[in-house]
Amino acid sequence: MQVLLIGCGKMGGAMLRRWTEADIAQFTVASPNGGSVPAGVPHVRSPAELGERRFDIILIAVKPQMIDAALPPYLAHLAPEGCLVSIAAGYSSTRIAALAGERPVIRLMPNLPAMIGQGVNGLYANALCTETHREAATALARATGSAIWVEDEDQIDRITAVAGSGSGYVFEIARSYVAAAEALGFDTATARTLVLDTLAGAIEMARRSDQPLETLRNDVTSKNGTTQAGLEALMQDGTLDTLLLNTTKAAYARAIELR
């Protein structure tokens, strides 16, 4: 499988490193500069450098506002049976197809832990995609984490709000949690270890269990104990539920604006 990757920034470069390690395709990067291109991966700065080459997939990894300018010059290098795959948030498959002349389009929405092979990838394929296209996109996604297919493109924007942007929420929650540990008297290094190891252990325990999260929470909560006292402060008046609901709704609304 021959893949042309347009753009190689932080996310595109991180995913490319995972893909090359998995050896699932032959990649060529198209980018004005090659700063993030892994060693050994061919790199071009313009379509003219590609000659007559054709690719099974053109993978769009530039910012949404750059797609209108960056994609069209490379469309002549998409093989007749090839497809377009985009990891750009908020830029719809309809807009991509309009640029590309009604080609098969897949949106692949990753999140930052794809950098370490622990990402969550939402995928949507337009009606022109074949099972072969979907299998190729699944292989790309699974090389960086999990693959979750949806049949409604609106669900990609919802995945963006929950998972695509979710790493940012988790980092901010962890930052605040570390600050709270520091306020209890721990130095920064110790507070960071306490918090991150606690989060990692709890999440891994939840991943290995088929019990509802409420059950796991209750298992660690003794009546009138320290955990109950902490949870009552955390959950007072439904503030936490409301805050997280508003967070995901705001991200979803922004994704809609970017369509």
Side-chain angles (χ1 to χ4, degrees):
M1 184 167 63
Q2 295 290 324
V3 179
L4 176 65
L5 178 65
I6 301 178
C8 194
K10 181 176 290 186
M11 180 61 77
M15 297 183 78
L16 177 59
R17 284 187 285 276
R18 300 294 306 183
W19 290 329
T20 53
E21 289 171 6
D23 195 26
I24 58 177
Q26 298 296 313
F27 288 87
T28 299
V29 173
S31 174
N33 61 72
S36 299
V37 180
V41 176
H43 169 235
V44 299
R45 290 175 171 79
S46 70
E49 295 180 50
L50 292 172
E52 299 298 317
R53 293 184 62 190
R54 297 291 184 271
F55 296 87
D56 303 298
I57 291 175
I58 291 181
L59 205 156
I60 306 161
V62 296
K63 294 179 180 179
Q65 60 267 30
M66 298 173 63
I67 293 176
D68 289 355
L71 176 60
Y74 288 97
L75 289 172
H77 296 280
L78 183 63
E81 301 301 319
C83 76
L84 296 155
V85 177
S86 172
I87 67 169
Y91 198 101
S92 71
S93 63
T94 301
R95 290 177 66 187
I96 295 171
L99 283 177
E102 299 303 318
R103 288 284 202 147
V105 177
I106 292 175
R107 286 186 61 194
L108 190 163
M109 186 65 236
N111 65 1
L112 195 59
M115 297 174 70
I116 60 169
Q118 296 291 319
V120 177
N121 299 279
L123 297 107
Y124 167 80
N126 73 3
L128 297 176
C129 290
T130 67
E131 189 59 32
T132 298
H133 297 143
R134 292 171 68 100
E135 288 173 358
T138 298
L140 290 170
R142 287 183 176 162
T144 67
S146 59
I148 300 173
W149 279 95
V150 297
E151 298 305 317
D152 176 358
E153 187 167 10
D154 179 67
Q155 292 293 313
I156 286 292
D157 291 332
R158 294 173 189 266
I159 287 175
T160 300
V162 174
S165 299
S167 300
Y169 315 153
V170 173
F171 293 143
E172 178 58 16
I173 290 168
R175 182 207 60 78
S176 183
Y177 196 176
V178 168
E182 291 175 328
L184 284 178
F186 295 102
D187 62 76
T188 300
T190 301
R192 181 183 172 96
T193 297
L194 286 169
V195 168
L196 296 186
D197 286 2
T198 296
L199 289 173
I203 293 301
E204 186 59 28
M205 185 175 176
R207 292 179 68 175
R208 296 185 186 189
S209 173
D210 59 2
Q211 294 295 313
L213 296 176
E214 292 86 350
T215 299
L216 296 175
R217 178 201 64 198
N218 293 340
D219 285 345
V220 76
T221 308
S222 300
K223 186 176 181 179
N224 296 322
T226 59
T227 305
Q228 181 177 324
L231 284 171
E232 286 174 354
L234 182 66
M235 300 164 64
Q236 59 182 320
D237 302 323
T239 301
L240 180 62
D241 287 347
T242 300
L243 180 61
L244 289 174
L245 178 60
N246 289 342
T247 297
T248 54
K249 281 186 173 180
Y252 173 57
R254 181 56 179 154
I256 292 174
E257 291 173 0
L258 292 170
R259 287 178 183 171

